[in-house]
Amino acid sequence: PLVIATSVTGKVVRSVEAISIAREQNGLTLGITGHLQAPLAQASDKTIDCTLPPMARCPGVRSYCMSLLVMYLLGIHLAEVKGILSQRESGQMRARLSHTANQLEDTLRQSQPKAQELAGIFKDVQYFVFLGEGTNYATAYFTAAKVTEACGLVAVPQNVEEWAHLQYFESTFPDAPTFLITNQHRGYPRFLELIPLMRRIGRRIVAVAPAACKELTSLADYVLPVSGQVEDLFSPLVYAAPGELFAAHLADVIHAEYFREDLPHYHGYSNAIYMGESQLLTRGEIRQRD
């Protein structure tokens, strides 16, 4: 089996551990990383270089986009060489993937003023919920992560169906901003079904959606617009942008330092995810604990 691990720094212990164990099992291992001299690259049979020019320290946004692009391109190529996609079909898919750059640029332009305005409105909020389905369930996770990393606030990602089973019953923050990240694909009708319930229990609704989702955008309290009809398969590349902007503006408004670097119990202390900070175990050592 081909085992793929992604780590921008190439120093995350669990990623290196997973690749090392896969090699012990005679798997073919591939590291996707931005540091070719880091432990992940050294532990992998093959590597794909995702090095990016340095920028100011901030929650990973460019690196997320780069990692997604690499995995999309890898998936398309594997389908092509296996004969699942023809050369023509894979070429068309790469062209559609390339087009998301234009959609991303347009989404950033449209969402920028809305995200800044929303940050001011929600400056006193302590708890956020981000809902997604299908490919944008991952976007809900990523956007919630950016709010926590940038602002230090509680941000919960959830599948839209599971919200009805769980977060529906949360009453501590009845007006919690709830971001609905969706397009017009499979899960869209479920979002529409749940909006009356959200309103009944006091939630403030933010739609992260294109203009084509007219029912949703007309019912939402606020809208972070997404450009056009982004192909569902590639939507995480574009749909994450409004949440990224919101997290950045909210951090500015509440004067939060990224990763809590202004707080004494955080600044200069590791969070035990990198090599040298956490124990790297072999498969045999792990099995001893079974």
Side-chain angles (χ1 to χ4, degrees), residues 127-142:
Y127 178 79
F128 297 86
V129 178
F130 293 86
L131 302 184
E133 47 76 34
T135 51
N136 280 313
Y137 186 23
T139 306
Y141 260 88
F142 180 75

Side-chain angles (χ1 to χ4, degrees), residues 12-224:
V12 175
V13 179
R14 300 286 82 79
S15 302
V16 178
E17 193 172 74
I19 281 290
S20 300
I21 291 171
R23 289 190 74 177
E24 285 185 52
Q25 297 289 92
N26 297 315
L28 176 63
T29 57
L30 171 65
I32 299 174
T33 181
H35 293 81
L36 294 183
Q37 304 307 314
L40 180 69
Q42 302 303 310
S44 302
D45 295 305
K46 308 285 184 180
T47 57
I48 295 180
D49 184 4
C50 292
T51 304
L52 288 165
M55 283 188 69
R57 178 168 162 76
C58 67
V61 171
R62 296 181 309 151
S63 55
Y64 178 70
C65 189
M66 173 70 90
S67 296
L68 282 177
L69 281 170
V70 168
M71 287 187 276
Y72 278 127
L73 289 169
L74 181 61
I76 293 169
H77 183 67
L78 288 172
E80 183 180 358
V81 298
K82 285 175 170 288
I84 298 168
L85 293 176
S86 68
Q87 264 192 328
R88 180 172 173 272
E89 288 170 330
S90 59
Q92 289 173 337
M93 189 169 280
R94 291 186 189 98
R96 298 200 302 274
L97 176 60
S98 179
H99 180 60
T100 61
N102 299 326
Q103 295 171 311
L104 175 57
E105 183 178 21
D106 196 32
T107 296
L108 288 167
R109 179 183 56 79
Q110 290 184 40
S111 287
Q112 162 67 21
K114 300 289 186 180
Q116 188 170 14
E117 178 186 359
L118 206 57
I121 293 170
F122 292 156
K123 65 181 185 299
D124 296 321
V125 171
Q126 300 293 308
Y127 178 79
F128 297 86
V129 178
F130 293 86
L131 302 184
E133 47 76 34
T135 51
N136 280 313
Y137 186 23
T139 306
Y141 260 88
F142 180 75
T143 309
K146 297 307 105 177
V147 170
T148 297
E149 291 171 346
C151 307
L153 301 170
V154 179
V156 174
Q158 186 56 279
N159 177 276
V160 63
E161 179 62 27
E162 284 303 306
W163 180 91
H165 291 260
L166 188 58
Q167 276 70 38
Y168 169 76
F169 298 104
E170 292 179 343
S171 58
T172 304
F173 301 101
D175 63 345
T178 303
F179 290 67
L180 312 186
I181 307 169
T182 185
N183 46 33
Q184 284 188 303
H185 289 271
R186 293 180 183 179
Y188 183 60
R190 188 59 171 146
F191 278 97
L192 298 179
E193 285 181 345
L194 293 178
I195 285 179
L197 280 69
M198 293 177 183
R199 286 215 172 280
R200 190 181 70 218
I201 61 176
R203 302 295 191 261
R204 286 182 281 180
I205 300 169
V206 182
V208 181
C213 295
K214 293 179 182 177
E215 306 97 328
L216 177 63
T217 55
S218 65
L219 292 171
D221 298 299
Y222 311 97
V223 178
L224 290 175

